[in-house]
Amino acid sequence: MHAMKKTRNILITAGGTREYIDPVRFISNASSGKMGYALSRAAIKAGHSVTLISANVSLKAPKEAKVIDVVTSDEMFKAVKAEFEKCDCLIMAAAVSDYKPAVSSNTKIKKEQSVLSLHLKPTQDILKWAGRNKRANQILVGFALEDTHLLENAEKKLKRKKLDMVVANEPAAIGADCSTLHIKTKNENWLTFENITKAASAKLIIQDIIDIQGK
Ligand code: CTP
């Protein structure tokens, strides 16, 4: 007889947040949401229950997932805070904007002849908050997109944000179906997967998370 497989509650963020300058202009990061959605499908396929916090993604979510749509980093933070306690694992696949306009105009900014300067202030680092507030057995997974010193910078992120796993890739991975991916679990060596599909890497990541947590 097979032992019953334990179902985990997995919280996944996907897409790119928008930070509004005025009602129609925003700053954002390039992100298709493909990775977060692939992770959601892989987790559901493996029998887990998924809450997907989705920011500005034009993909179809798996029908088994509980989807929470957000637009801004503030909304994403609020949704993560509301769901965090219930989850066994948080995967921050979203490209959260690091900065937002210091002031956002309620009306559309009119064009003028002079230079327009934009003052930005940092957004809340959601992963950092989760690292500070997690229970001992909660797993935190972060992503690192770097164009220089990829592994070195990603490893710093793993430590600084108190992650259990970091997934590192290069800007070429944005929107691509296949890319090179590096995965590091706390206290383990880097694993590199070349030219792997998002579906295959998502399956690996979900499997690794379950291995860390213990079956
Ligand atoms: N992230 C987050 N909240 C933010 C910004 C990023 O939770 N406000 C998460 C992303 O979802 C991703 C990881 O942190 O999982 C990426 O971190 P990044 O923004 O690259 O990290 P920084 O610490 O800002 O590092 P850098 O110095 O490279 O900007």
Side-chain angles (χ1 to χ4, degrees):
M1 264 232 323
H2 290 293
M4 265 253 283
K5 227 169 80 180
K6 203 175 143 202
T7 299
R8 307 304 207 286
N9 291 323
I10 305 191
L11 181 58
I12 300 171
T13 66
T17 64
R18 289 179 182 176
E19 314 304 325
Y20 279 86
I21 299 164
D22 70 15
V24 292
R25 282 80 168 232
F26 55 82
I27 53 172
S28 192
N29 288 313
S31 171
S32 64
K34 279 183 182 171
M35 191 68 227
Y37 276 56
L39 284 161
S40 301
R41 279 193 295 275
I44 286 164
K45 240 185 192 168
H48 304 296
S49 96
V50 170
T51 300
L52 175 60
I53 301 175
S54 179
N56 314 300
V57 178
S58 56
L59 299 169
K60 213 167 152 237
K63 62 177 189 311
E64 298 88 346
K66 171 185 167 188
V67 182
I68 302 171
D69 284 307
V70 298
V71 177
T72 64
S73 61
D74 285 341
E75 288 172 10
M76 181 169 277
F77 183 42
K78 203 170 143 205
V80 169
K81 275 195 294 189
E83 297 295 323
F84 189 60
E85 214 173 290
K86 289 174 263 176
C87 82
D88 300 300
C89 169
L90 167 65
I91 310 177
M92 283 294 303
V96 185
S97 183
D98 284 329
Y99 290 92
K100 62 181 177 184
V103 287
S104 174
S105 171
N106 290 328
T107 52
K108 194 172 162 245
I109 297 169
K110 297 301 284 179
K111 181 169 58 195
E112 283 177 35
Q113 293 309 320
S114 57
V115 169
L116 176 70
S117 309
L118 208 55
H119 290 276
L120 303 176
K121 62 180 181 188
T123 58
Q124 169 69 44
D125 191 318
I126 302 172
L127 254 184
K128 219 173 190 176
W129 174 87
R132 287 205 195 102
N133 290 281
K134 71 170 189 165
R135 298 189 301 272
N137 57 348
Q138 269 178 318
I139 302 289
L140 282 189
V141 182
F143 277 72
L145 185 81
E146 314 272 353
D147 45 17
T148 51
H149 308 291
L150 177 65
L151 302 188
E152 200 184 315
N153 284 336
E155 197 157 349
K156 279 188 195 151
K157 218 159 275 181
L158 177 87
K159 295 202 175 105
R160 193 172 68 234
K161 300 199 187 190
K162 297 192 171 61
L163 307 180
D164 299 281
M165 184 193 295
V166 68
V167 181
N169 52 26
E170 288 171 52
I174 298 171
D177 289 317
C178 269
S179 60
T180 298
L181 197 92
H182 311 268
I183 301 179
K184 188 176 183 350
T185 302
K186 204 170 62 180
N187 309 325
E188 302 284 341
N189 292 325
W190 279 104
L191 297 174
T192 293
F193 303 92
E194 292 197 17
N195 210 24
I196 188 172
T197 63
K198 287 209 159 90
S201 49
K203 192 176 169 191
L204 276 168
I205 292 166
I206 297 297
Q207 191 52 56
D208 281 356
I209 290 168
I210 304 307
D211 288 345
I212 302 174
Q213 218 169 29
K215 300 227 164 59

